[in-house]
Amino acid sequence: MEAASLPAALELAAGGGAGLSPEKRAVLGASLLLLQRDYRFERVWFWGCIRGVRGAYYIAEGLGPDRAAPRSRLYSLNCVEWSLLPPVTEEMVAQAEQLKGRFQGDPSFEYEYTEINAEDAERLFEDGKEPMIKEESRLVATIEQIDKAVGIIPRGAFVKTPLGSVRENRNFEGLSLTEAKKLSSYFHFTEPVNLKNKTLLEKADLDPSTDFLDSLEHDIPQGSWTVQLEKGGTVVVLRSLLWLGLTFYHVPMTKQYGYVYFGTGEKNLDLPFML
């Protein structure tokens, strides 16, 4: 969610009980603006918070002109001092998927090889690497996993230019209430997968400038999203049951939308048995 409108945005997404204290909101509001200035980001998004056993990670993302380009990710333990996270790699994600249990809240904490899949540990030994995973690596890999799986935007909020870059749509005035209640009106803000498999006939009705992403209606498992009307029916709220703690909000007929994550950073692997 946009750093500039953080207090109002958190109020709209707070229906599930998660949120920040007034003190934390005030500190974040000031530090994120300084972060944007110091790193010269075009926009800064407050991504959310991953709670560990001994502390919490507050996450921010910095964006450039091309919104689809890899984002710079930063974390803070106190909402004041920010540290830049390393770029995510496929190896980081693969290792993080093997880890179970809560985050510790210490970026320098190292997970021992006993906590890693035996096959992966053996491969690391063969490569001459210490079979250790720092929590910092697990953190950036988890943020990437959540962004790819449940980071979403309303249809039409972004447009793809003829040169391939993705920009904010200045003509976007929000979804109608009817459209806002449909999963097909929301897109995953990541590289499309299902779109590439569609036939030419299925693509005929799509607008290439706005329909260049995968919609939520075909997410697996089906039923992994809840859609609710809150604040007297004025706000549409989507919550992920796959990554518990991810909340997306949109005020129909306005440009107000965003998502935030407040959770433990653990995937709900039991979801297929709960539906």
Side-chain angles (χ1 to χ4, degrees), residues 3-275:
S5 58
L6 188 62
L10 285 171
E11 281 293 333
L12 293 172
L20 298 171
S21 66
E23 294 81 6
K24 282 278 192 294
R25 291 187 193 188
V27 173
L28 264 178
S31 68
L32 289 176
L33 294 176
L34 293 173
L35 187 71
Q36 183 173 350
R37 182 199 67 185
D38 294 343
Y39 283 87
R40 298 182 181 179
F41 294 133
E42 191 170 291
R43 287 286 179 87
V44 168
W45 286 353
F46 175 62
W47 184 88
C49 171
I50 292 180
R51 298 189 179 94
V53 176
R54 297 195 292 267
Y57 296 104
Y58 299 92
I59 314 297
E61 292 186 325
L63 293 86
D66 183 357
R67 296 295 192 258
R71 302 166 209 165
S72 298
R73 294 183 173 119
L74 304 97
Y75 73 90
S76 174
L77 301 175
N78 57 10
C79 296
V80 177
E81 299 164 329
W82 295 88
S83 302
L84 195 62
L85 286 165
V88 69
T89 63
E90 289 184 10
E91 186 181 11
M92 279 183 189
V93 175
Q95 289 175 344
E97 285 177 340
Q98 304 296 330
L99 296 172
K100 302 287 183 282
R102 295 278 301 276
F103 278 80
Q104 295 300 308
D106 176 8
S108 60
F109 179 82
E110 293 182 332
Y111 294 90
E112 300 288 344
Y113 69 90
T114 51
E115 299 174 59
I116 307 172
N117 181 290
E119 189 178 312
D120 290 338
E122 188 178 332
R123 181 170 52 78
L124 287 170
F125 272 127
E126 288 173 359
D127 294 343
K129 296 179 184 176
E130 281 283 325
M132 294 276 195
I133 300 176
K134 276 196 172 182
E135 183 150 285
E136 187 181 68
S137 298
R138 183 189 179 190
L139 179 64
V140 71
T142 301
I143 296 168
E144 177 72 9
Q145 283 180 283
I146 294 173
D147 264 345
K148 276 194 169 183
V150 290
I152 60 176
I153 58 169
R155 181 180 183 272
F158 290 82
V159 292
K160 191 171 189 177
T161 68
L163 296 176
S165 62
V166 176
R167 311 277 172 160
E168 288 185 28
N169 184 1
R170 294 182 181 179
N171 297 320
F172 178 69
E173 294 296 338
L175 300 169
S176 67
L177 182 59
T178 306
E179 290 297 315
K181 291 188 284 187
K182 299 177 183 175
L183 283 180
S184 57
S185 298
Y186 301 96
F187 292 155
H188 288 282
F189 198 30
T190 186
E191 190 68 26
V193 177
N194 297 332
L195 190 66
K196 295 174 182 175
N197 300 326
K198 287 192 174 183
T199 64
L200 290 174
L201 192 61
E202 289 174 315
K203 290 181 180 178
D205 294 331
L206 301 181
D207 182 342
S209 65
T210 54
D211 300 315
F212 57 94
L213 300 167
D214 288 334
S215 75
L216 269 59
E217 61 181 330
H218 300 302
D219 278 14
I220 298 172
Q222 285 216 346
S224 61
W225 290 96
T226 66
V227 183
Q228 295 170 311
L229 288 174
E230 297 186 359
K231 308 284 183 185
T234 59
V235 183
V236 178
V237 176
L238 277 71
R239 291 189 176 88
S240 173
L241 301 179
L242 186 63
W243 288 95
L244 296 170
L246 190 287
T247 304
F248 171 89
Y249 74 92
H250 176 46
V251 181
M253 306 305 291
T254 74
K255 295 183 178 183
Q256 296 181 65
Y257 68 87
Y259 67 85
V260 68
Y261 178 81
F262 287 101
T264 59
E266 296 173 284
K267 192 175 184 179
N268 182 15
L269 299 175
D270 295 328
L271 179 60
F273 306 102
M274 296 165 64
L275 296 172

